[in-house]
Amino acid sequence: MLTLSDYPVIYDQSVAWGDMDAFGHVNNVMYYRYIESARIFYMDALNIFDQDVYTVVASNQCKYISPVFYPDRLKIGVRVEEIRNSAFRMSYLLWSETQQRNVALAEAVIVCVNKETMLKTEIPEIIRHKISEIELKVKHFI
C-alpha cells in the first residue's frame, strides 16, 4: 500500500465547510480542485510557468476510498510516475489527518503545448532534469 513517504512533494489542504454537499461529505468535484492545487504546488517547484510552454490536463481520474468530512486537513502526495516526449503522468495520494488513512488516489496526464501555436511540444530539458531531481528523493523514479 502506498504511503505519503512514497511521494516527494506533499501539499497541505484544508477542508472547508463549503466543500461538502447535501449528503454531508466532501463533494467529488472538490477532490479535483484539491488535486489541482497540489499539482500547481509541484509545478511551481519545477518553475515550469517560466518556460515557453503551457501545461494542459489531457486526462484525469480519481478513486474514492473513504468519504471526507469537515473539519479535516488532507495531506496530498504528488509524484511523476512517467515522462513521455511531450507529456508526463502524475499520481496523487490524499491522506486524511482526521481518519489517519488514505481517502483517495488519483492520476492525471499533463501535456506540454507551445504557448504560441497551442500544439503539443516536447517537455523542456530543464523541466525533465528538475522532475528527476525531485523524484529521486524517494528513489522510485522511472
Side-chain angles (χ1 to χ4, degrees):
M1 177 198 273
L2 293 171
T3 67
L4 287 173
S5 65
D6 296 312
Y7 292 80
V9 174
I10 308 296
Y11 180 75
D12 190 48
Q13 176 69 54
S14 293
V15 174
W17 176 263
D19 294 350
M20 293 188 299
D21 61 19
F23 298 110
H25 57 75
V26 172
N27 184 275
N28 64 306
V29 172
M30 294 309 303
Y31 289 77
Y32 286 98
R33 288 189 180 167
Y34 299 159
I35 292 163
E36 176 186 54
S37 294
R39 179 172 46 253
I40 297 305
F41 185 71
Y42 190 107
M43 299 287 196
D44 280 339
L46 296 176
N47 294 318
I48 200 165
F49 300 115
D50 295 335
Q51 302 299 309
D52 289 329
V53 295
Y54 288 132
T55 55
V56 178
V57 176
S59 66
N60 58 19
Q61 64 182 3
C62 185
K63 177 182 178 185
Y64 307 99
I65 299 167
S66 179
V68 174
F69 307 91
Y70 173 87
D72 201 348
R73 292 190 74 75
L74 302 176
K75 300 286 186 196
I76 304 175
V78 186
R79 70 186 194 183
V80 172
E81 296 281 349
E82 174 188 13
I83 297 180
R84 303 171 188 164
N85 288 334
S86 59
F88 50 96
R89 185 170 49 89
M90 301 183 87
S91 72
Y92 312 90
L93 179 141
L94 289 78
W95 185 87
S96 163
E97 286 188 1
T98 299
Q99 298 178 49
Q100 293 290 297
R101 66 180 179 145
N102 298 343
V103 293
L105 296 170
E107 192 172 274
V109 174
I110 312 302
V111 177
C112 289
V113 298
N114 180 285
K115 284 184 176 180
E116 293 179 19
T117 65
M118 296 304 289
L119 298 173
K120 75 178 179 177
T121 189
E122 287 190 10
I123 300 168
E125 196 56 41
I126 191 166
I127 298 304
R128 288 178 181 278
H129 179 73
K130 287 182 180 184
I131 290 171
S132 294
E133 283 181 350
I134 290 171
E135 296 300 325
L136 287 174
K137 294 177 186 175
V138 294
K139 298 182 176 33
H140 79 275
F141 195 57
I142 311 166

